Amino acid sequence: MKSRHFLSLAFFGFKTILFRQKKPILATIILTDSCNLSCRHCAVNNITGRMLSYRDVLAEMQAFYREGVRILFFCGGETLLWQDGGKNIRDLMKEAKKMGFYLVNLVTNGTLELNIPEADVLFLSLDGNRESHNLIRGDTYDQIMRNLNRAENCNICIYMAVNKLNYRHIEEVCQQAKEHPHLRSISFNFHTPYPGTESLTLDAEEKRVAVAAIKKMIVKGMPIFNLPSALDTYLENHWSRPCHQCVVSENKQRYLCGRCVEIDGLCRQCGYLFAVEFSLLCAGNPRAIYEMLRTYLKYI
Ligand code: SF4
Ligand code: SF4
């Protein structure tokens, strides 16, 4: 990240803490809910099958920029399926950079070619070792590995959603993130029990085991893109939500924090660690700020 962008984000954080501002800085645009997979933990794929038009994506990006958002995510469905009139995800990333966003990231299931050097961070969903990943996401592990082996010049972060089927494989995936030449980091979330996916939720003891495994890996120097303070806070389930600094846009409809905000009672069971981290940072938690400076900057 450029140092002037870092200073600008630091100033935003300072104002947020001091004046208890509730302005967003991070936005996610959902380009489509179309997806070539049907993962066991997913409740948002292939509901409308719509693709946002190129014009509408640009308009939403411009609106977010005017509103002060500087960190942008593109998401799906499967993000890399998005196209409109000959434009693809790389065109959107270039436009976003031209508009002035500091960080432009995307999330992908990795089953399509991963040649997107414009992404500041490419979050690649990998939910365990071959066995647990395929159990959750269908028989896709080997295809993802082939795409990963071919992906050069990309800053790729594994994005692992921890649930009952894969929480024992955390150490294995961390090792892979450390050793694979095309992987730079790994980021964890915990399963958030959308209706119909409750059976994948970890119980209290399993959460403790998973958090202990992640913290052990942090101590061992694995490239983990999460804050230890947020892991502790997640276990205590004592943090302010929804996050007012994050906003999601789907089909031109806006949601504060996540699409999940409208599902009754779900926020109390939230496993999205970014929401925990933003909550701590925006409340001025000194430990989280210190860890953020040591962690985020290494991988962006
Ligand atoms: S790849 Fe993502 S959007 Fe598609 S089914 Fe899996 S979790 Fe859902
Ligand atoms: S806190 Fe945010 S990310 Fe978590 S469930 Fe609620 S809306 Fe979703």
Side-chain angles (χ1 to χ4, degrees):
M1 191 186 336
K2 291 181 179 152
S3 42
R4 68 190 161 88
H5 291 166
F6 172 74
L7 289 174
S8 167
L9 292 176
F11 186 57
F12 172 90
F14 179 71
K15 284 192 298 180
T16 300
I17 294 164
L18 202 64
F19 305 117
R20 296 181 188 278
Q21 266 187 183
K22 291 188 169 171
K23 288 174 71 176
I25 189 75
L26 184 154
T28 301
I29 299 179
I30 294 168
L31 298 174
T32 178
D33 68 4
S34 285
C35 190
N36 53 347
L37 302 187
S38 182
C39 306
R40 280 170 77 155
H41 58 314
C42 181
V44 298
N45 65 316
N46 297 310
I47 294 168
T48 67
R50 261 186 253 152
M51 298 259 174
L52 208 57
S53 71
Y54 180 63
R55 205 174 62 174
D56 286 342
V57 184
L58 287 192
E60 199 63 329
M61 282 158 57
Q62 277 154 354
F64 277 136
Y65 192 83
R66 277 196 305 273
E67 291 161 30
V69 167
R70 293 295 180 269
I71 303 171
L72 189 64
F73 275 73
F74 292 113
C75 197
E78 171 43 37
T79 316
L80 303 189
L81 287 177
W82 182 86
Q83 54 180 318
D84 183 47
K87 302 284 187 187
N88 63 26
I89 185 72
R90 293 186 67 177
D91 296 303
L92 294 181
M93 316 263 347
K94 286 175 198 157
E95 281 301 327
K97 283 294 178 71
K98 247 194 269 168
M99 263 179 219
F101 288 98
Y102 301 166
L103 292 172
V104 186
N105 306 323
L106 68 87
V107 183
T108 173
N109 65 28
T111 55
L112 304 169
E113 194 188 350
L114 296 173
N115 177 27
I116 307 147
E118 296 84 3
D120 288 296
V121 186
L122 194 157
F123 288 91
L124 168 65
S125 296
L126 197 73
D127 283 340
N129 61 9
R130 178 185 280 108
E131 185 195 350
S132 53
H133 173 93
N134 284 347
L135 202 56
I136 296 163
R137 292 182 165 260
D139 189 11
T140 55
Y141 188 90
D142 291 341
Q143 178 64 45
I144 294 168
M145 285 302 135
R146 279 194 291 275
N147 290 334
L148 179 61
N149 292 340
R150 284 195 291 261
E152 286 176 358
N153 309 318
C154 296
N155 179 7
I156 302 180
C157 175
I158 290 184
Y159 205 40
M160 178 170 172
V162 180
N163 63 39
K164 244 188 179 22
L165 301 174
N166 64 11
Y167 76 101
R168 296 199 176 278
H169 301 146
I170 286 170
E171 300 187 14
E172 214 176 310
V173 187
C174 285
Q175 198 65 41
Q176 189 178 24
K178 189 173 168 102
E179 288 170 3
H180 195 290
H182 296 170
L183 289 172
R184 179 106 174 262
S185 54
I186 175 164
S187 170
F188 293 98
N189 285 302
F190 287 88
H191 180 64
T192 299
Y194 287 81
T197 71
E198 295 87 346
S199 63
L200 292 171
T201 312
L202 299 176
D203 65 28
E205 180 52 26
E206 289 164 341
K207 282 180 189 170
R208 267 195 295 277
V209 169
V211 163
I214 298 171
K215 287 173 80 174
K216 184 174 147 199
M217 293 294 99
I218 293 174
V219 171
K220 277 182 85 173
M222 299 292 166
I224 296 177
F225 200 151
N226 294 101
L227 309 183
S229 51
L231 292 164
D232 294 336
T233 305
Y234 164 71
L235 278 186
E236 292 158 11
N237 201 17
H238 187 64
W239 48 282
S240 168
R241 68 205 92 170
C243 168
H244 291 269
Q245 284 68 40
C246 302
V247 60
V248 174
S249 163
E250 181 172 29
N251 287 324
K252 298 192 249 176
Q253 187 176 341
R254 299 278 188 96
Y255 302 90
L256 184 66
C257 195
R259 288 179 274 191
C260 21
V261 75
E262 297 197 334
I263 301 175
D264 216 18
L266 197 62
C267 290
R268 286 306 307 158
Q269 303 175 71
C270 178
Y272 290 107
L273 290 176
F274 82 88
V276 186
E277 292 177 357
F278 264 80
S279 159
L280 293 177
L281 293 169
C282 293
N285 182 294
R287 183 180 162 207
I289 293 170
Y290 172 72
E291 290 171 351
M292 181 265 297
L293 293 172
R294 291 193 48 170
T295 307
Y296 286 8
L297 296 180
K298 265 197 271 181
Y299 305 121
I300 297 175

